[in-house]
């Protein structure tokens, strides 16, 4: 993998105090006082001496050996640090190397960042914060030039750190603009010390001291006052003025000759400085101005000289705004303002040189293994052939490190004709687009790659021979992903098998992705036995490749499949194994088990262990909120909604399903339990039949539909809706259709060995027969469900059906059907009666007819009187009364009325 940055050590170099500038005790004292705050912010435009001031201060701290700070760390930021992983890596390295002494601080956090899928910045920083609890010394960390950071995720990470800042870590930020931090809150709490332009400006006394003692210029007090006034104490302007006045006889005239804002003054004064240099120095300054950092080897390559080392030393001695970046003075940079003006002069005076200079810089960076810098310079030079080759070389490494977004930004600059002639580059482009969900654009790039493979080798360009060797497998894998995303299951399976055929058995990491996608295709198709085994094999492949993170993340999907197969215990086992595999690993793998914790929560919910379910869901949410796990919130909301539904809190369940729907993102995972169907089931329990029927109409569902696993959950829900409709109006015709529909669903589920689905269908059959009054057939269906469910420990699948199921289980108990298991379930119903809170919906709502009879009972009418008033038989009244008692969990008329009043049903 190419190096990330050519100057890692220089980023941590503490610039020395500049002897040509005066000491500023008033500001140093403010900084000392700021050590008692969480943050010191120095915010002012360019040229106000922010870095210089902090350099002097940290040098003073080192000399005084203050008890408040034992170690000092420095991080010089630039525009290339706008990526959370890169920023945090440098951030932690700076702390580890404070005072130039390596420590173990942040070792685990760096391990997280070096993983193929790093966790969120919050998780990384939490690990770092924990390390500080065992670190005995105080560290001051300077983040210099923070204004170059534009990535909100980095700002958010810094906010998180400030909110949890260890007492032995002190932050100081220098910036040209205020960072996106909660400064008002920090001010209100007295947690920030701020120095701004008004504080940093030279006073008249400081300006006088600078010109007379530091610059050695003999000028009058009135002239100093004029300079101070015109520059408003702006330090860079005063420094440039001092350089320009060296050796002049016409100082008074010079001082009166410039006015205007800071940019005008800089342009004017740099022009003055440049005119006073030899042609050799001037040419060197202009040519090397394209570099963000300089060393003699790079400058020699750029200028085609051999004496850059001596010239850099000469510039430093002349104080020509060149800043050393390491103790050995191997690397330098120009003062930002000075560099800006130099580049403007280069473009104005020698535009023909600019492209050539960038090409030379790119070549030097490539030769020295610094590919990102080489790419940037080649793109700036518009040398797209060179850039394309470099971008191709870094694709595989950046893709594995989840840096496809940055890579894509480079690739998008390249002309299409250059990309299309390079098959590896085209495939990389396709994958980067697929990762962003740009399916159509990704498919176009895949076709480009495939066309390249049909051409003669002389017509294509290949730089990365290793990736080219695996290109057929890579294309087939990308085709698998694309086909799954657009719902083309057959082609997805075909492409996945092709990819696996292209790869040898020992290519464990490369085989893992197509094997996983093949599993998802089989799952979508309803072949869960094949899908289960395929995903198990894929996870084993990842494990053999040493990628524990990938080996863990598939566990929740395996568990989900096994739940549908009716194998709760195996689902539980695979989750436990994933949790055990995470033990002893670096903390960064923990984010990979967020969905596993959610799966465990759902399994414990089904076992009727709400306490354990809540504990696992709490852990899942805690990790999920700190991570970047795709779709974690969606999955967590689904499980939490089911738990709330089981607990009788239907309003909360519905709200969670709304949240899940808002967080849903289409991907290769099959959506086998759509949120709309789950919401419909809640509507049924809330007695909102019109909304439930509206869903049926909206989905266009009917009993004549061709059945498929992908829509199995929808069709089971359809049966539930029509059963609820029957209970409301007692029309017999739809119920016959429901019975036939459930029989078709059962045969399909059993054919696919989906015993989890079969258990629910059998339960629903029992409830339909019970509603018809056909108790023998209801018990027969229930017994089938019980015998399938008992070995796996199902509980909630029965209890969540409510009073009708309680009645059926009571009847089964009298017939000695699976007595021990039925007794356990009936005990569960006894617990429910005490858990339903007041003013909450019933487990099974009353039908309109039942509500009418209940209101007449409340008026004191006897059963015979109710029958006469409603023009129904006495037996029908008795039947409905029994249902009412069961749903309310009572056995007397007076209890029924009191319970109904408590639930606001009367």
């Amino acid at each position: 993998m190419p190096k990330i940055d050519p100057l890692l050590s220089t980023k941590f170099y503490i610039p020395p105090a500049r002897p040509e500038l005066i000491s500023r005790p008033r500001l140093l004292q403010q900084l000392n006082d700021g050590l008692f705050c969480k943050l010191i912010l120095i915010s002012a435009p360019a040229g106000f001496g922010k870095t210089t001031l902090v350099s002097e201060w940290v040098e003073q701290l080192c000399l005084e050996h203050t008890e408040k700070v034992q170690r000092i760390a420095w991080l010089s930021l630039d525009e290339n640090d706008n990526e959370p992983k890169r920023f945090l890596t440098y951030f932690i390295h700076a702390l580890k190397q404070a005072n130039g002494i390596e420590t173990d601080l942040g070792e685990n956090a760096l391990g997280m960042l070096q993983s193929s899928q790093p966790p969120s910045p919050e998780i990384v920083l939490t690990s770092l914060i924990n390390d500080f609890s065992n670190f005995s010394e105080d560290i001051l960390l300077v983040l210099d030039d923070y204004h170059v950071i534009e990535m909100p995720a980095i700002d958010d990470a810094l906010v998180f750190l400030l909110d949890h800042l260890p007492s032995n870590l002190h932050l100081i930020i220098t910036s040209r603009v205020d960072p996106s931090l909660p400064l008002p809150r920090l001010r209100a709490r007295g947690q920030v010390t701020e120095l701004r332009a008004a504080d940093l400006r030279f006073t008249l006394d400081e300006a006088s001291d600078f010109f007379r003692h530091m610059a050695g210029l003999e000028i009058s007090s009135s002239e100093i006052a004029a300079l101070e006034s015109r520059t408003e104490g702006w330090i860079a302007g005063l420094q440039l003025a001092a350089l320009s006045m060296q050796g002049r006889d016409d100082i008074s005239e010079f001082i009166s000759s410039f006015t205007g804002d800071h940019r005008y003054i800089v342009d004017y004064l740099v022009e003055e400085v440049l005119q006073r240099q030899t042609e050799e120095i001037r040419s060197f300054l202009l040519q090397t101005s394209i570099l963000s950092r300089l060393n003699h080897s790079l400058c020699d390559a750029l200028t085609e000289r051999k004496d850059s080392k001596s010239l850099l030393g000469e510039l430093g001695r002349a104080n020509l705004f060149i800043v050393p970046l390491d103790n050995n003075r191997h690397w330098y940079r120009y003062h930002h303002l000075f560099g800006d003006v130099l580049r403007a002069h280069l473009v104005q005076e020698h535009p023909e040189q600019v492209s050539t200079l960038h090409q030379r810089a790119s070549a030097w960076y490539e030769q020295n293994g610094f590919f990102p810098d080489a790419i940037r310079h080649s793109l700036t030079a518009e040398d797209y052939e060179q850039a394309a080759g470099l971008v191709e070389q870094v694709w595989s490494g950046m893709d594995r490190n989840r840096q496809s977004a940055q890579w894509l930004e480079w690739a998008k600059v390249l002309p299409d004709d250059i990309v299309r002639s390079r098959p590896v580059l085209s495939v990389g482009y396709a994958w980067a687009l697929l990762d962003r969900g740009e399916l159509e654009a990704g498919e176009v790039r895949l076709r480009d790659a495939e066309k390249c493979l049909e051409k003669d080798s002389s017509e294509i360009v290949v730089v990365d021979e290793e990736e080219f060797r695996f290109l057929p497998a890579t294309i087939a894998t990308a085709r698998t992903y694309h086909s799954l995303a657009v719902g083309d299951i057959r082609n997805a399976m075909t492409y996945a098998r092709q990819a696996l055929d292209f790869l040898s058995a020992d290519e464990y990491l490369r085989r893992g992705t197509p094997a996983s996608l093949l599993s998802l295709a089989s799952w979508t198709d309803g072949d869960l036995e094949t899908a289960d085994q395929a995903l198990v094999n894929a996870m084993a492949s990842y494990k053999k490749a040493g990628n524990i993170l990938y080996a863990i993340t598939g566990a929740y999907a395996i568990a989900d499949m096994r739940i549908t197969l009716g194998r709760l215990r195996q689902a539980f086992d695979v989750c436990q194994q994933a949790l055990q595999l995470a033990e002893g690993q670096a903390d960064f793998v923990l984010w990979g088990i967020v969905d596993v914790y959610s799966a465990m929560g759902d399994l414990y919910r089904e076992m009727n262990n709400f306490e354990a379910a809540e504990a696992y869901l709490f852990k899942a949410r805690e990790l999920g909120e700190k991570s970047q796990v795709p779709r974690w919130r969606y999955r967590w909301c689904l499980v939490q909604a089911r738990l709330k539904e089981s607990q009788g809190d239907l309003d909360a369940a519905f709200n969670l399903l709304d949240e899940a729907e808002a967080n849903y993102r289409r991907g290769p995972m099959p959506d086998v339990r759509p949120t709309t169907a789950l919401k419909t089931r809640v509507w049924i329990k809330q007695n909102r039949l019109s909304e439930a029927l509206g869903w049926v109409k909206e989905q266009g569902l009917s009993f004549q539909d061709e059945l498929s696993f992908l829509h199995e959950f929808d069709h089971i829900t359809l049966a539930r809706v029509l059963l609820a409709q029957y209970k409301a109006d007692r029309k017999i015709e739809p119920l016959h259709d429901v019975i036939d529909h459930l029989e078709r669903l059962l045969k399909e589920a059993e054919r696919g060995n989906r015993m989890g689905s079969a258990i629910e269908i059998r339960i629903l059959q029992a409830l339909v027969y019970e509603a018809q009054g056909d108790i023998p057939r209801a018990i027969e269906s229930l017994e089938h469900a019980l015998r399938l469910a008992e070995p796996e420990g199902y509980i909630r699948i029965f209890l969540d059906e409510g009073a009708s199921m309680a009645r059926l289980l009571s009847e089964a108990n009298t017939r000695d059907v699976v007595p021990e298991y039925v007794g356990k379930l009936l005990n569960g119903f006894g617990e429910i009666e005490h858990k339903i809170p007041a003013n909450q919906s019933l487990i099974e709502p009353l039908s309109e007819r039942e509500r009418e009879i209940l209101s007449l009972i409340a008026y004191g009418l006897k059963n015979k009187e109710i029958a006469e008033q409603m023009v129904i038989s006495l037996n029908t009244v008795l039947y409905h009364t029994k249902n009412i008692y069961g749903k309310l969990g009572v056995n007397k008329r007076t209890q029924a009325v009191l319970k109904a009043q408590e639930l606001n049903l009367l």
Side-chain angles (χ1 to χ4, degrees):
M1 175 67 186
K3 300 174 188 176
I4 295 177
D5 193 283
L7 302 165
L8 187 61
S9 62
T10 65
K11 295 183 74 68
F12 314 132
Y13 174 67
I14 302 175
R18 295 174 62 184
E20 72 274 16
L21 296 180
I22 63 169
S23 180
R24 310 186 73 188
R26 62 184 178 88
L27 298 180
L28 297 177
Q29 186 56 50
Q30 284 183 256
L31 293 174
N32 285 332
D33 295 340
L35 285 173
F36 296 94
C37 298
K38 284 188 172 184
L39 172 67
I40 297 174
L41 173 63
I42 304 179
S43 179
F48 271 91
K50 300 180 292 295
T51 301
T52 301
L53 174 64
V54 179
S55 298
E56 181 185 359
W57 180 50
V58 297
E59 184 174 286
Q60 182 188 80
L61 291 176
C62 291
L63 292 172
E64 293 177 353
H65 302 289
T66 175
E67 294 182 3
K68 189 59 182 172
V69 176
Q70 289 86 39
R71 290 179 175 269
I72 295 169
W74 190 287
L75 177 56
S76 296
L77 298 167
D78 58 52
E79 64 277 0
N80 298 323
D81 298 329
N82 269 293
E83 195 277 314
K85 177 179 176 180
R86 182 186 182 105
F87 176 87
L88 289 174
T89 298
Y90 293 158
F91 188 97
I92 296 167
H93 270 298
L95 291 170
K96 285 175 63 63
Q97 299 176 24
N99 284 24
I101 302 172
E102 188 83 15
T103 67
D104 293 333
L105 194 66
E107 199 69 42
N108 196 42
L110 283 177
M112 296 181 189
L113 291 167
Q114 290 162 5
S115 68
S116 58
Q117 284 189 315
S120 70
E122 287 78 11
I123 290 182
V124 175
L125 289 173
T126 297
S127 174
L128 178 65
I129 290 165
N130 291 336
D131 284 355
F132 267 93
S133 63
N134 300 316
F135 197 74
S136 60
E137 297 177 303
D138 280 44
I139 297 182
L140 171 72
L141 173 59
V142 180
L143 299 179
D144 194 24
D145 288 338
Y146 191 81
H147 55 269
V148 300
I149 299 300
E150 298 174 347
M151 177 70 70
I154 297 177
D155 292 328
D156 293 343
L158 211 55
V159 172
F160 177 84
L161 179 63
L162 286 168
D163 286 343
H164 305 85
L165 195 71
S167 59
N168 53 340
L169 176 59
H170 312 275
L171 286 182
I172 180 165
I173 291 176
T174 72
S175 178
R176 295 183 186 178
V177 296
D178 281 0
S180 298
L181 302 176
L183 295 177
R185 188 182 76 197
L186 293 170
R187 290 184 193 117
R189 296 177 179 177
Q191 294 175 339
V192 60
T193 291
E194 298 174 78
L195 275 71
R196 300 189 169 275
D199 303 298
L200 297 174
R201 287 189 178 101
F202 269 8
T203 64
L204 182 57
D205 288 342
E206 287 171 334
S208 177
D209 194 23
F210 168 70
F211 280 115
R212 289 174 176 167
H213 298 101
M214 308 309 295
L217 293 169
E218 292 298 329
I219 56 179
S220 68
S221 297
S222 61
E223 290 170 333
I224 292 173
L227 282 169
E228 192 275 334
S229 175
R230 292 181 183 182
T231 61
E232 296 181 340
W234 183 48
I235 300 169
L238 293 172
Q239 289 178 261
L240 284 165
L243 280 172
S244 299
M245 288 188 290
Q246 296 289 343
R248 280 184 177 272
D249 296 325
D250 57 344
I251 288 178
S252 296
E253 184 179 341
F254 171 80
I255 291 173
S256 63
S257 65
F258 71 89
T259 57
D261 61 21
H262 290 168
R263 170 52 62 187
Y264 174 84
I265 294 172
V266 167
D267 291 343
Y268 177 83
L269 293 177
V270 170
E271 178 65 27
E272 288 289 317
V273 171
L274 286 176
Q275 285 181 358
R276 299 172 69 79
Q277 307 306 315
T278 64
E279 183 57 35
E280 180 183 49
I281 293 292
R282 178 185 172 86
S283 175
F284 183 86
L285 289 171
L286 295 180
Q287 288 180 319
T288 56
S289 67
I290 69 161
L291 302 171
S292 58
R293 298 183 179 96
L294 312 86
N295 73 11
H296 67 85
S297 174
L298 175 55
C299 290
D300 279 347
L302 203 67
T303 62
E304 297 185 320
R305 309 173 63 97
K306 295 182 179 180
D307 60 348
S308 295
K309 186 173 183 178
S310 62
L311 282 178
L312 288 170
E314 185 179 336
L315 293 177
R317 288 188 294 274
N319 294 321
L320 270 178
F321 289 86
I322 187 168
V323 181
L325 295 175
D326 57 32
N327 286 319
N328 298 321
R329 296 186 177 254
H330 182 64
W331 286 96
Y332 298 84
R333 69 168 174 84
Y334 290 122
H335 187 286
H336 299 306
L337 286 172
F338 193 62
D340 289 345
V341 178
L342 289 177
R343 281 187 290 276
H345 275 272
L346 173 66
V347 171
Q348 181 181 358
E349 297 177 23
H350 304 290
E352 76 287 351
Q353 293 185 13
V354 175
S355 179
T356 301
L357 291 170
H358 281 292
Q359 286 177 315
R360 291 173 185 171
S362 177
W364 186 91
Y365 279 121
E366 181 188 4
Q367 291 166 9
N368 287 273
F370 305 131
F371 281 69
D373 295 276
I375 291 169
R376 281 187 284 271
H377 279 286
S378 61
L379 289 174
T380 304
E382 298 184 356
D383 186 353
Y384 295 123
E385 288 287 347
Q386 169 72 2
L390 295 169
V391 171
E392 179 176 323
Q393 286 185 70
V394 300
W395 170 64
S396 60
M398 293 186 73
D399 183 63
R400 282 194 296 271
N401 288 320
R402 297 300 186 265
Q403 294 175 301
S404 61
Q406 172 62 70
W407 185 89
L408 186 59
E409 291 303 310
W410 294 332
K412 282 184 172 181
V413 180
L414 301 172
D416 271 355
D417 59 330
I418 290 180
V419 176
R420 289 195 182 105
S421 66
R422 298 167 180 262
V424 175
L425 187 58
S426 293
V427 166
Y429 210 143
W431 266 116
L433 291 168
L434 291 175
D435 284 343
R436 286 165 57 108
E438 298 181 29
L439 303 181
E440 293 77 13
E443 206 271 337
V444 169
R445 295 298 176 180
L446 281 177
R447 287 202 301 269
D448 291 341
E450 290 165 337
K451 289 176 183 176
C452 280
L453 294 183
E454 297 170 359
K455 296 179 180 179
D456 185 81
S457 59
S458 62
E459 298 180 84
I460 62 174
V461 180
V462 175
V463 176
D464 192 334
E465 295 287 350
E466 176 75 1
E467 282 301 320
F468 183 71
R469 185 165 67 88
F470 290 106
L471 203 61
T474 307
I475 292 175
T477 303
R479 282 284 181 198
T480 306
Y481 185 101
H482 180 269
S483 298
L484 265 179
V486 299
D488 187 351
I489 306 306
R490 295 296 162 223
N491 270 330
M493 290 182 172
T494 300
Y495 286 126
R497 293 187 180 110
Q498 284 180 5
L500 292 169
D501 288 342
F502 283 131
L503 296 166
S504 62
D506 58 353
E507 288 290 342
Y508 299 120
L509 187 59
R510 291 181 183 269
R511 289 180 66 87
T513 302
S516 298
L517 293 172
L518 180 60
S519 167
L520 298 185
S522 297
W523 185 3
T524 305
D525 203 40
D527 186 359
L528 273 72
E529 294 282 8
T530 299
D532 183 308
Q533 190 56 54
L535 195 51
V536 167
N537 291 342
M539 297 306 103
S541 184
Y542 283 134
K543 188 175 179 182
K544 287 179 180 177
N547 195 319
I548 301 301
L549 178 60
Y550 283 17
I552 287 171
T553 52
Y556 81 91
I558 297 172
D560 203 345
M561 285 187 275
R562 291 179 179 178
I563 289 170
T564 305
L565 289 166
R567 301 168 186 169
L568 287 191
R569 299 193 188 282
Q570 288 186 15
F572 189 86
D573 288 344
V574 75
C575 289
Q576 287 283 60
Q577 289 164 11
L579 295 178
Q580 290 169 3
L581 190 58
E583 291 179 4
Q585 301 294 327
D587 287 349
F588 74 87
V589 303
L590 290 179
W591 76 268
I593 58 173
V594 173
D595 292 324
V596 179
Y597 277 117
S598 290
M600 288 289 283
D602 200 31
L603 289 166
Y604 274 114
R605 178 204 62 82
E606 180 56 48
M607 297 172 188
N608 206 33
N609 187 340
F610 290 169
E611 185 177 352
E614 288 171 344
Y616 275 98
L617 284 169
F618 176 83
K619 187 68 175 175
R621 180 174 183 173
E622 185 179 47
L623 287 178
E625 288 177 343
K626 297 175 181 176
S627 74
Q628 297 173 327
V629 182
R631 292 162 54 98
W632 81 266
R633 187 82 189 179
Y634 166 73
R635 299 182 186 113
W636 180 88
C637 285
L638 290 183
V639 177
Q640 185 74 10
R642 296 184 71 185
L643 177 60
K644 291 296 182 183
E645 184 180 346
S646 293
Q647 292 172 325
D649 192 348
L650 298 180
D651 290 340
F654 196 86
N655 291 337
L656 283 160
L657 291 173
D658 268 342
E659 187 177 348
E661 197 168 25
N663 281 278
Y664 177 72
R665 299 292 181 271
R666 188 180 176 189
M669 288 281 296
D671 187 18
V672 295
R673 299 184 193 89
T675 52
T676 53
L678 290 165
K679 289 164 73 172
T680 300
R681 294 183 175 211
V682 176
W683 278 331
I684 293 171
K685 289 187 176 182
Q686 292 176 321
N687 206 27
R688 296 165 63 180
L689 188 57
S690 61
E691 286 96 331
L693 289 168
W695 170 80
V696 173
K697 183 177 180 180
E698 183 181 312
Q699 298 298 315
L701 295 170
S702 76
F703 294 143
Q704 286 71 48
D705 293 340
E706 183 179 346
L707 299 182
S708 68
F709 167 66
L710 199 57
H711 298 291
E712 180 178 76
F713 192 79
D714 283 342
H715 278 281
I716 295 174
T717 306
L718 169 64
R720 288 184 176 278
V721 173
L722 296 181
L723 174 59
Q725 185 181 29
Y726 170 78
K727 288 183 176 182
D729 58 28
R730 292 294 167 179
K731 292 181 179 178
I732 196 68
E733 292 82 4
L735 212 54
H736 290 308
D737 292 336
V738 172
I739 291 171
D740 293 341
H741 186 59
L742 287 172
E743 192 61 37
R744 290 176 63 211
L745 284 167
L746 180 63
K747 287 179 181 178
E748 286 297 314
E750 289 179 340
R751 186 180 294 118
N753 205 25
R754 300 189 296 272
M755 292 300 107
S757 298
I759 291 170
E760 182 182 2
I761 295 167
R762 290 282 192 183
I763 287 172
L764 199 48
Q765 283 181 323
L767 294 173
V768 171
Y769 289 129
E770 190 265 350
Q772 281 187 318
D774 189 346
I775 302 304
R777 294 188 72 180
I779 296 299
E780 180 185 352
S781 293
L782 179 61
E783 183 174 357
H784 281 295
L786 289 166
R787 294 197 182 281
L788 286 172
E790 182 185 23
E792 298 298 327
Y794 282 92
I795 301 291
R796 291 309 316 181
I797 199 169
F798 295 98
L799 302 191
D800 287 347
E801 299 297 345
S804 295
M805 178 55 63
R807 288 193 299 274
L808 279 176
L809 287 170
S810 295
E811 185 64 30
N813 196 44
T814 64
R815 301 182 184 210
D816 205 31
V817 174
V818 199
E820 186 176 343
Y821 188 35
V822 168
K824 182 178 181 180
L825 294 174
L826 286 171
N827 287 336
F829 273 108
E831 295 172 4
I832 288 173
E833 185 178 335
H834 300 292
K835 289 181 179 178
I836 299 177
N839 302 319
Q840 289 292 327
S841 302
L842 295 170
I843 294 176
E844 182 179 3
L846 299 177
S847 67
E848 290 300 318
R849 180 57 58 90
E850 289 165 350
R851 279 176 169 269
E852 188 177 355
I853 291 173
L854 179 59
S855 66
L856 295 175
I857 291 174
Y859 277 114
L861 273 67
K862 299 184 183 302
N863 291 337
K864 185 178 179 181
E865 294 170 334
I866 293 172
E868 291 171 352
Q869 182 164 329
M870 296 184 67
V871 195
I872 57 177
S873 70
L874 179 60
N875 284 338
T876 300
V877 174
L878 293 173
Y879 174 81
H880 284 304
T881 303
K882 182 180 178 182
N883 282 347
I884 292 167
Y885 287 176
K887 291 180 179 182
L888 294 176
V890 299
N891 51 35
K892 293 180 181 179
R893 281 173 153 249
T894 54
Q895 292 174 342
V897 173
L898 289 171
K899 187 72 171 180
Q901 290 173 340
E902 179 184 347
L903 296 174
N904 294 324
L905 298 176
L906 292 174

